[in-house]
Amino acid sequence: GYKVKKDNLTGMRYGKLTCVSSFSKNKKTYWNCICDCGNKTIVYSGHLKNGHTKSCGCWSVEALISRSTTHGKTHTRLYKIYHHMNERCYSPKAINYKNYGARGIKICDEWKNDFTAFYNWAIANGYDDKLSIDRIDNDGNYEPNNCRWVTRKKQCNNRRSNRLIECDGKIQTLQEWADETNINSNTITLRLKRNWTIERALSND
């Protein structure tokens, strides 16, 4: 196991974190901390001392909420979308955090610090209560150039598990090509496994 150490940080508070015990790993000291929200987290001692880490991740979400509650839209669907977007990117306890924040996906500064900016972008870019926010590049961040409003079906088509196929300079998921060509997606998959060219696999000839 790791060597447990005692030094002068035990019981000290850094932001919302209280230091409980420490251990050494790769010649660096890490602290087992308890956050005011109840979460336990491990933090590199240097990040505590220089102010880099002040909570388990919940603080950034709370700060966003407090900065954004003067706009009078807290109970709107659009605000709920904004709130959940922040949670999955910045709160480790969020259900979908592993698919977003843990993968390094962030929210651009323009939106992260200003709900009104996000709201204005949404309205200007076709937001509707039947649509969901979708990242065009699933490895990209939440930012104006990488987001759009889409139907649930379109969003499912854009999942990471879907295969993207390029034909004639156009990139779509396998299911989107199937819908466009009226060829069953399993048929297209089988054709590609038989080393057909993409153009031939998508052809009805």
Side-chain angles (χ1 to χ4, degrees):
Y2 300 121
K3 181 182 177 184
V4 176
K5 297 175 60 180
K6 286 186 177 180
D7 61 30
N8 61 355
L9 298 193
T10 303
M12 291 186 66
R13 285 176 59 86
Y14 290 87
K16 296 180 70 171
L17 298 174
T18 300
C19 298
V20 178
S21 62
S22 64
F23 61 86
S24 293
K25 182 181 178 183
N26 299 329
K27 297 183 179 180
K28 289 185 176 181
T29 300
Y30 293 84
W31 279 88
N32 294 303
C33 300
I34 294 180
C35 184
D36 288 352
C37 74
N39 276 348
K40 294 179 180 178
T41 186
I42 295 172
V43 185
Y44 169 52
S45 65
H47 287 168
L48 287 170
K49 293 174 182 176
N50 66 16
H52 177 276
T53 306
K54 298 178 180 178
S55 75
C56 69
C58 64
W59 206 345
S60 56
V61 175
E62 289 176 8
L64 286 164
I65 293 170
S66 66
R67 280 199 298 270
S68 304
T69 49
T70 56
H71 46 67
K73 300 182 178 70
T74 308
H75 300 294
T76 63
R77 179 175 182 266
L78 199 48
Y79 184 75
K80 288 178 183 175
I81 290 171
Y82 178 76
H83 175 73
H84 291 313
M85 184 171 72
N86 278 291
E87 273 200 330
R88 56 182 175 260
C89 286
Y90 298 106
S91 181
K93 61 184 178 181
I95 295 172
N96 289 325
Y97 178 76
K98 65 179 184 297
N99 295 323
Y100 294 86
R103 291 177 53 227
I105 291 168
K106 299 179 175 65
I107 300 171
C108 68
D109 290 340
E110 179 186 352
W111 290 353
K112 181 182 175 185
N113 299 315
D114 187 356
F115 169 73
T116 302
F118 173 75
Y119 177 88
N120 290 338
W121 169 85
I123 298 303
N125 284 273
Y127 171 76
D128 181 281
D129 282 346
K130 297 187 183 73
L131 302 178
S132 300
I133 193 165
D134 180 61
R135 284 168 303 120
I136 298 165
D137 174 3
N138 265 298
D139 293 320
N141 294 327
Y142 283 103
E143 55 191 2
N145 292 337
N146 193 42
C147 288
R148 59 187 173 180
W149 295 103
V150 298
T151 60
R152 179 80 52 189
K153 180 181 178 183
K154 182 80 174 178
Q155 192 167 36
C156 288
N157 278 333
N158 197 36
R159 284 191 310 224
R160 281 191 296 152
S161 57
N162 275 318
R163 179 176 181 181
L164 291 174
I165 297 173
E166 181 174 356
C167 183
D168 294 331
K170 185 176 180 180
I171 300 175
Q172 296 191 124
T173 64
L174 178 64
Q175 187 57 53
E176 285 173 322
W177 282 116
D179 291 343
E180 183 173 311
T181 60
N182 290 320
I183 301 171
N184 188 285
S185 59
N186 292 331
T187 301
I188 297 174
T189 300
L190 192 61
R191 289 177 174 181
L192 293 172
K193 283 183 179 177
R194 290 175 176 168
N195 293 321
W196 287 30
T197 63
I198 290 173
E199 288 77 9
R200 187 183 172 202
L202 298 177
S203 172
N204 282 300
D205 298 337

